[in-house]
Amino acid sequence: MRRQKGIETPPLAEAACRLSVCVLASGSRGNATWVSDGQTAILIDAGLSGVEIQRRMMANGLDPKGLDAILVSHEHRDHIHGVGVLSRRFDLPVHISDATRQASEKSLGRLHGIQPFACGESFSIGAMAIHPFSISHDAEDPAGFTISGNGAKVGVATDLGVVTGMVRTHLAACDLLMLEANHDPQMLIDGPYPWPLKQRIHGRSGHLSNEDAAGLLTELLHDGLQHVVLAHLSEENNTPQKARQAIKPVLNGRCTRLHVASQAMGSGVLTLL
């Protein structure tokens, strides 16, 4: 096998690969997603410890030394816990909005480099085009992302309480969608959380339910959609089975592959052809 930055793949797979995605972890205890076009590799968020992110990358055949940058969606601990450590350890620039950086300075510590971005303004990391867009969540300047390269498009929208027209617009025509399916509404109501937390999760600045994810996917479905990854499932208020049951009728026998990213195992490497 021939080494490419970030991943080892057979020569034929290299030629066919457009973008590859690996959700390393997704949930309230830590989030991190690896994306590569075969030449450049980035992390979207790094909410586990640096050591654990390295371990999970290597378990998926990914080289932490092949990373080129970290992209931060918002300042909550489950998205930034390992950002500073990885930035310093591997000399990685951190792409982060000014408001998010200011809200997380103490947690991040010294960074190898800071590349500010603004929601609505596209930028590039290597040959990949990154477009951050605003989402509704209880953070200073939360962002969803689309990543485009080699003729493929990946959309990432987790940690949002409501689906806006902006979210629908930016996630249109993706080859891979990573969508939040945080909770089953009845499990949330019947569950152990205190009422104010239940209201936060269910509110416009909280998290999408399984049914919300199904509704959004119904609007975004198209023949070129290869993968759907359900993400940020609550371990207390959801199950992978309930999330799948909500989404499967939307796919209705299509060739689109459905995955559920767990806190413990992530998704494995998904390659767009």
Side-chain angles (χ1 to χ4, degrees):
M1 289 194 281
R2 178 164 60 87
R3 164 69 70 183
Q4 284 189 329
K5 195 160 192 179
I7 185 170
E8 287 186 350
T9 51
L12 289 177
E14 287 179 2
C17 170
R18 295 195 287 165
L19 287 176
S20 294
V21 176
C22 181
V23 182
L24 300 170
S26 184
S28 60
R29 292 187 287 112
N31 298 271
T33 300
W34 172 93
V35 182
S36 176
D37 65 355
Q39 300 299 321
T40 301
I42 65 173
L43 281 181
I44 302 176
D45 294 328
L48 303 170
S49 71
V51 168
E52 181 62 14
I53 288 176
Q54 289 180 242
R55 187 191 70 78
R56 293 192 183 208
M57 286 187 67
M58 290 186 289
N60 282 282
L62 310 174
D63 183 3
K65 295 179 181 178
L67 287 169
D68 293 281
I70 302 173
L71 185 57
V72 176
S73 65
H74 64 288
E75 71 273 14
H76 290 166
R77 180 178 173 82
D78 58 323
H79 293 261
I80 66 167
H81 179 55
V83 170
V85 169
L86 292 174
S87 174
R88 294 186 291 272
R89 184 171 296 159
F90 297 111
D91 296 338
L92 300 175
V94 176
H95 295 257
I96 187 170
S97 75
D98 287 335
T100 299
R101 180 180 57 81
Q102 291 170 13
S104 56
E105 278 184 324
K106 290 183 180 179
S107 298
L108 294 175
R110 181 183 61 82
L111 301 176
H112 171 71
I114 298 171
Q115 297 291 331
F117 69 75
C119 285
E121 297 181 7
S122 298
F123 60 94
S124 296
I125 303 177
M128 291 190 289
I130 316 295
H131 187 86
F133 56 91
S134 294
I135 57 176
S136 176
H137 192 53
D138 56 354
E140 290 299 319
D141 187 24
F145 301 102
T146 60
I147 302 97
S148 301
N150 294 334
K153 180 181 177 184
V154 168
V156 177
T158 66
D159 294 75
L160 67 162
V162 64
V163 176
T164 62
M166 183 178 298
V167 170
R168 294 184 185 94
T169 296
H170 289 298
L171 294 183
C174 284
D175 299 276
L176 182 149
L177 284 169
M178 182 176 171
L179 301 178
E180 178 171 56
N182 176 258
H183 61 277
D184 172 80
Q186 195 60 50
M187 285 186 69
L188 178 64
I189 291 172
D190 296 339
Y193 286 176
W195 183 245
L197 180 54
K198 293 180 181 182
Q199 288 180 305
R200 171 192 172 266
I201 291 169
H202 190 62
R204 293 181 62 85
S205 297
H207 295 278
L208 294 185
S209 70
N210 295 339
E211 287 73 15
D212 292 330
L216 176 56
L217 181 59
T218 299
E219 298 183 69
L220 298 174
L221 204 59
H222 65 98
D223 290 341
L225 181 59
Q226 298 180 38
H227 298 276
V228 173
V229 183
L230 303 181
H232 216 300
L233 272 69
S234 169
E235 294 179 293
E236 291 79 15
N237 303 307
N238 207 357
T239 67
Q241 293 76 19
K242 285 185 178 292
R244 285 182 179 274
Q245 287 170 2
I247 298 297
K248 276 187 175 180
V250 178
L251 296 178
N252 193 26
R254 287 174 175 262
C255 293
T256 303
R257 294 182 60 191
L258 178 62
H259 315 267
V260 178
S262 71
Q263 183 74 79
M265 298 296 294
S267 70
V269 178
L270 308 176
T271 298
L272 297 174
L273 302 176

